[in-house]
Amino acid sequence: MQNKLDFLIERVQKQNPQANIRKIRAAYECAAAAHEGQKRRNGEPYIIHPVAVAEIVVEMGLDTDSICAALLHDCIEDTQFGYKEIENKFGTAVVELVDGVTRLGMLRYSKVQEQFEDLRKMFLAMAKDIRVILIKLADRLHNARTFQFLPERKQRDKALETMEIYAPIAHRLGMSRIKWELEDLSLRILDPIGYSEIVEGLKAQSEQHEEFLQRIRTRIGGKLHEAHIEHTISTRVKHIYSIYRKMYAQHKTINEIYDICAVRVIVDTVADCYNVLGYVHDLYKPIPGRFKDYISTPKPNGYQSLHTTVIGREGIPFEIQIRTTEMHKMAEYGVAAHWKYKQGLDKRGNEEAFAWIRQLLEAQQDTEAEDFIKNIKVDLFADEVFVFTPKGDVINMPAGATPIDLAYAIHSAVGNRMTGAKVNGRITPIDSQLKNGDIVEILTAKEARGPSRDWLKIVKTTEARSKIKQWFKKECREENIINGHEDLDRELRANLIYNGFYDNEEVQRNTLNKFSFSTLDELYAAIGYGGITLTKVINKVKDDVGKLRRQRELAERAEQPRTVEQPHKRVTKSATGIVVEGIENCLVKFARCCTPIPGDEVVGFVTRGYGVSIHRRDCVNVHIQEDPDRWVHAWWDEDLASANRSNRFSTGLQISTRSRIGVLSEVTTVLAACKINVHDMSARDLNDGYGVINAMVDVLSVHQLDNLISRLRSIKGVVDVTRTVDTN
Ligand code: MN
C-alpha cells in the first residue's frame, strides 16, 4: 500500500508544490486505519478506492483539503470513524467536504424518469461547495471504472445513474474528460452489444485511421511550421458514446459514420487560432455550415474553440478543433481548472467559482444542454430545496418548506397522522425549514390525530394547506359550523350588515350561490375550517345589501306620481293630510272656493306669503296653463288625513228643493243622523216654489260626503245636491 501512497504524494507534489503533504499523509493513515480489514468487491483492500479517488482529485488539480476529503470520503458512512473525529483531526473544511460527499452519496437511482431532473438539480443545489461535486464525480469515476465487479442488476442501476446524472453534471461543469469517460463506461454496461460493435469496428479500422490521421498531422504540421506558428497537434478517434449517439440518431452502422476522426491544434494566442483556421481551409475543403466560432461565442459551460469540418484527400470528412492552451485546459477540466491553474484558492475563490457556475447555468439559452438547463436556470439555488426520504427518494420542495409540507407531499394520510419529524436523525420542530440534502423522517401515529389549525400558518405549500383544510372540512363539521357561525355573525355586526343578511333571503341565497354552498351550515363550516375567508363573504354580503337598498330607494321613487310641470321635486307631507311635491313643511290651506276634502283630486297653488292653497282639480279657479310655475302637484296622504278622527274637512253643499216648507227639517234630520257637523246653513226661496239650501258641512272624506249626498237626495222634495264651487 505504501507505494500507492508514495505514488499519490509524488503526483501531488508535481501538480501542486504548495500542498500540505503532512496533512495528506495523516488523512491517508486515518482512512487506512478506518477501512482496515474492509475489502472491495474485487477482493482488493478497500483503501485502494479512496486513494484512487484522491488521485483523480489530484489530477483535477484540487487543493489539500479536497485531497484529504477524497481519502476520507467513505469514512463517515462505512466505518466507525465519525464526523467529530475528522473535524478534530483535519478541521471544519475537510469534514464538511466529507459530509457533503456522503450526502451526495445518498442520492439513489430512481426508476421514475422524472426524478433524473430533480436529482441533477439537487446534486448541484445541495453542494454548498463546488469541491464536493468534484470529489463526488471522482468517486463515481473510479466506481465506474470498476463497475464489472458489481452484481449485474446493480451494474445497470449504477450505470444508468451515471449516464443520467453524473455525466450530464460533468458536462455542465465543462469537464469533458470525465464526462466522456463516464459515458463510455456506462454505455459498456447499458448496451454491451452496441458498445462492442463500435469497439470492434474501430479496431478494424484503426490502421486506416492511424494512417489517415498521420497524413493530416504531417500536412498541417508542415504548413504551420512554414508559417512559424508554435503549435501542438493531437489526433484522436472520437469517444465511443459520441459515435454511438451518431449511429443511433442517423440510423447508420459504424462503417457509414465518417466523421470519426478528430484533429486538435493547440496554439498560444487567439490570433493564431484564426490564422490556423485560414491555413486549414487552404489545405482542405471546408464543409459549408460546419464552422463554429466558440471563441467569440463560448458554449454555455464556458467551452471555447474554433470548430470546422473539412474533407480530406480521400473524401473523408474530419473535424478540426483549434484553441489556445488556456482554452484547452478549460475544455478538459472545466470548473476544476479554477483550482488547477489558480493555486491556493481561498474561500473567496470558491465563491467566485460558484458564481461562475451559477452564471453559466443561468445564461443558458443554448442548444444541447437546453433540456437540462431549462428547468434549473433561476430556481436552482434560490427557490427550491431537495430533501431525502429515509429510503433515499428525493423530494423537491419550495424553499422554506417545513416537515409538515413534506409529510403532505408524501401523502395526506402521512400528514394527518404526523406527530413529529426527524431531520438527519434528530427530532426537529415541525415548523423548522428544510435544507438541501436533509434526510427527513416523518414520525406518525397509528391513528390519524389530525393536523392542528396552527399548521395552516406554518405550511409553505398550497398542497399542504389545502389538504389540511380538507381534513378540517371532513373531520370537524359540527365544530366548524359553530366556529364559522360565530365568526360570521361577529363580522356582520362589525360591518352593520347583520340584519341586512339575516332579514333577507335574497341576500343569503346570492351569497350561498356565489360560493357554491347550498345551505348556511355549509357556509359556516367552510368559514370554520378555513375553506373560505371571512373577508370574501363579508364583501359579497356588503355588495348585495347595498345593491338591495339602492333598488328599494329607486322603486319607491318610481311609485310616486309626478306632475307634468315639475316631475322631480322632492315630496313633503303636512299635518293637514296634503302632500305637496317639492315643498317641505309648507303651510297648507284649503281654498274656500272649492273646499276640497280627502278623496278629491287636488292641486296646489303657491300663494305669495300664505303657503300653498289647495284646490280641487275641477275647481273653476284652477288655470294651470296661466301660471304654471306656481301650480304644484299635491295629493292626499290618506293615512295621514284619516289618522285623526277629529281631523275633519269643511265643504259646501247646495241642496235644491221643490218646496222649502218641511224639506229643511228633513235635511237637518239626515245631517244629524249622519253625525255631520254643520256650521253654516242658509235657505232661500226661488221663484216657482223652488228653494235652495246652502250648508257648510265638516266631513272626513269624499266617501262620507258621497254617502251623505245620496241620503239627502233620497229626501222627498230634494231635487239635486251638489258641492259648491264659489265662483267669486
Ligand atoms: Mn467512494
Side-chain angles (χ1 to χ4, degrees), residues 341-591:
Y341 303 105
K342 291 177 195 168
Q343 287 302 336
L345 263 188
D346 51 11
K347 195 160 174 280
R348 220 180 121 254
N350 188 33
E351 274 166 16
E352 267 172 27
F354 235 127
W356 172 72
I357 291 170
R358 283 186 206 191
Q359 212 178 349
L360 67 87
L361 287 171
E362 281 165 12
Q364 304 299 329
Q365 252 123 44
D366 190 56
T367 50
E368 53 197 288
E370 200 174 16
D371 281 357
F372 175 40
I373 234 62
K374 196 163 48 188
N375 298 311
I376 71 174
K377 273 203 304 204
V378 185
D379 296 343
L380 180 55
F381 299 97
D383 301 342
E384 285 173 280
V385 62
F386 300 87
V387 298
F388 296 111
T389 66
K391 281 183 193 159
D393 288 329
V394 51
I395 296 183
N396 179 358
M397 307 287 297
T402 65
I404 306 173
D405 291 294
L406 178 68
Y408 280 99
I410 296 168
H411 197 281
S412 50
V414 176
N416 291 336
R417 288 190 296 134
M418 178 172 182
T419 57
K422 273 187 180 175
V423 175
N424 302 324
R426 285 194 201 133
I427 298 277
T428 308
I430 53 170
D431 61 348
S432 58
Q433 295 198 348
L434 298 175
K435 293 190 292 297
N436 273 315
D438 278 346
I439 303 163
V440 188
E441 186 185 347
I442 303 298
L443 306 174
T444 55
K446 278 205 177 110
E447 294 286 311
R449 295 203 312 199
S452 139
R453 270 177 206 281
D454 296 337
W455 290 10
L456 287 170
K457 290 171 203 147
I458 296 168
V459 294
K460 183 86 180 174
T461 56
T462 47
E463 188 190 8
R465 189 166 293 122
S466 69
K467 282 177 174 173
I468 293 170
K469 285 177 183 170
Q470 198 66 33
W471 192 89
F472 279 115
K473 186 178 176 180
K474 258 195 230 152
E475 303 294 321
C476 313
R477 188 171 152 83
E478 293 309 309
E479 203 187 320
N480 289 332
I481 289 174
I482 293 165
N483 290 340
H485 197 163
E486 277 175 10
D487 290 351
L488 179 64
D489 287 1
R490 192 191 57 239
E491 281 304 306
L492 286 171
R493 284 201 189 91
N495 286 279
L496 304 175
I497 46 176
Y498 183 87
N499 291 333
F501 182 71
Y502 284 109
D503 291 351
N504 199 303
E505 275 185 34
E506 199 186 330
V507 174
Q508 290 175 31
R509 204 172 43 243
N510 284 345
T511 308
L512 294 178
N513 287 346
K514 158 104 180 176
F515 302 111
S516 310
F517 298 117
S518 47
T519 64
L520 276 176
D521 274 0
E522 282 180 22
L523 173 69
Y524 299 148
I527 294 169
Y529 74 78
I532 185 169
T533 64
L534 266 175
T535 326
K536 276 188 185 166
V537 179
I538 292 295
N539 285 342
K540 170 69 183 157
V541 175
K542 260 192 204 164
D543 273 5
D544 270 25
V545 169
K547 231 179 261 169
L548 205 73
R549 278 180 189 154
R550 281 194 296 281
Q551 272 172 14
R552 278 188 184 156
E553 273 173 25
L554 282 174
E556 269 170 24
R557 242 176 260 170
E559 271 166 26
Q560 293 159 3
R562 291 170 183 173
T563 62
V564 182
E565 298 81 17
Q566 284 152 320
H568 294 301
K569 285 193 177 170
R570 289 185 55 211
V571 157
T572 185
K573 295 173 179 180
S574 83
T576 57
I578 284 289
V579 180
V580 178
E581 188 178 63
I583 305 173
E584 281 186 53
N585 295 325
C586 62
L587 178 66
V588 167
K589 52 184 186 167
F590 295 99

Side-chain angles (χ1 to χ4, degrees), residues 46 49-50 53 73-74 136 139 143:
Y46 195 88
H49 168 66
V53 173
H73 80 268
D74 277 332
K136 190 64 202 170
D139 178 38
N143 284 333

Side-chain angles (χ1 to χ4, degrees), residues 639-663:
D639 292 345
L640 204 63
S642 63
N644 187 351
R645 283 244 131 211
S646 66
N647 201 2
R648 297 186 177 230
F649 298 88
S650 291
T651 192
L653 289 177
Q654 187 174 61
I655 307 158
S656 309
T657 59
R658 212 172 296 145
S659 88
R660 187 173 61 87
I661 295 132
V663 175

Side-chain angles (χ1 to χ4, degrees), residues 612-642:
V612 175
S613 164
I614 302 298
H615 290 257
R616 279 158 55 187
R617 188 107 193 160
D618 55 0
C619 174
V620 291
N621 293 322
V622 171
H623 304 287
I624 290 172
Q625 287 82 356
E626 284 177 19
D627 216 347
D629 283 345
R630 296 178 70 185
W631 289 100
V632 294
H633 196 80
W635 61 94
W636 294 97
D637 184 340
E638 299 288 346
D639 292 345
L640 204 63
S642 63

